Amino acid sequence: MKNYLLSLPYMYPVCPISIDHARLFVIADIIARYKRIDNNVFFPIAAHYSGVTADIIFDKLKHNDLTTMNLYRAYYKMPENDLCGLLSATDLLDYYTEQMLENFKELGISCNYDCFYKTNTSKYQIFVKKLFEKYAEKQMIVKNDALELAIDFNNQEWRKRTYEFIQKIQFIQKFHRKNIIGSFDTITSDFGFLRDYGLGTYYSEKQIIDPMFDGDFFMIFDLISKEICLENYSDEEFEVLVSDIFDAVQGKAHHSEEVVERILDWLPCDIFVCEEHLKTWIVKKTFSEVLLMKEEYRTKEYFITGLGKRNNKRMSSSRGNAILLKDLLEQYSGIKARMIILMCGGHPSKNYNFDENIIQIVEDILSKFVKFMRQEIPLHGNAIYYKIIFLQKEESMIRKNIEEGYFGQAISIIMQIIPKKYKKTLNDIIKVEFAYLCNRYLEILLPGITNMIYEVNNI
């Protein structure tokens, strides 16, 4: 079986996860579950502990800033004991990291939780420092017009090679290539990569690396996290391993052959799932890959999601204008919450307005489907019926929609179209075939739904 690597941006857990951030992981989870049919899949998860936002928020909480306190008490509903128990910015990040992991598990996200990591570890900081050593070796660290240290994105040869490679990248929706190219000119050396305070990797004794610059190669660190799970490296041993990996992805001679080859076997990242507002960062990430990786190891495909609006304003957890995942999970089951996330809007790559009516629509669809299944389709457990006869067209449509990212449509085919089309002509073969489709594909889209259907009083 082929190795299949998917990756996502780190979550910055300074507050509860919004429906938009949750959607990234639901999409990645569907891809992971679908690809596991024929592949070994690695689906990593991590938390980003860099930047100044957590420091700023903690300082406001510590000084009882009224707006911030109201946001965390009234909107986020953070228990008073937990709020008062925060002693540092790291405590704040730890609190919402734990909540994020619990929420994702309840939502049925099948990440490799055993390899979860935070970016405030010594090993991640060694990794970032090694990345900047490689920039320096390529003579790509310069002083910009403001006399700040910056990456030399103005280098014309580098820009040319990066632009050419962007033409080769695959996108789930092709229009995103145009958007990415549109962001190309925003990448310049005007932006320095050092900050005087905050959390992150220290570049010098007093300055840290800006969070926009410390994650360009985290899909490689994702793979290293697998190795850390297997072996207990000292920081010194780890630094040697990281050097070997950076040499290997550039096609240079390297040591630690067995470990490095295991990591190379997972590259390139087969698909990267992220939100549309990160398009500038995607370009910057591509610059770095072109500079420091052979083409065969560079990210292969992107699934870029649109942004949600609520009451015609862009959703934002930090501004108190988002559907929060924890609230969805508290009010509905994980399956219903996941279905709401997948059924709102059209294709996930498009921007959308959250329609409150979708909740009732999901309730109605699910209720009718459960009734149909309990009355018409006997429980077949893990029904295996590989030779589909009557439902060939429907299976083909389901697979096509999943592969192209139309997950809501795939759900509709299974839960609405097939029951309506065959209700009057059901026979034993169709019942078994349909049970098979539900076990294989609906369990990818809405994992756990079969058990939920056949458990009385669970709706």
Side-chain angles (χ1 to χ4, degrees), residues 196-213:
D196 293 329
Y197 71 101
L199 302 174
T201 300
Y202 277 90
Y203 186 81
S204 62
E205 288 185 6
K206 295 183 179 180
Q207 291 183 303
I208 64 164
I209 295 169
D210 186 276
M212 276 291 287
F213 289 85

Side-chain angles (χ1 to χ4, degrees), residues 154-170:
N154 295 334
N155 182 288
Q156 292 305 304
E157 175 60 25
W158 190 14
R159 295 183 73 84
K160 178 175 178 291
R161 290 171 54 212
T162 302
Y163 187 88
E164 289 172 351
F165 182 69
I166 288 175
Q167 311 300 322
K168 301 178 182 180
I169 297 173
Q170 300 174 43

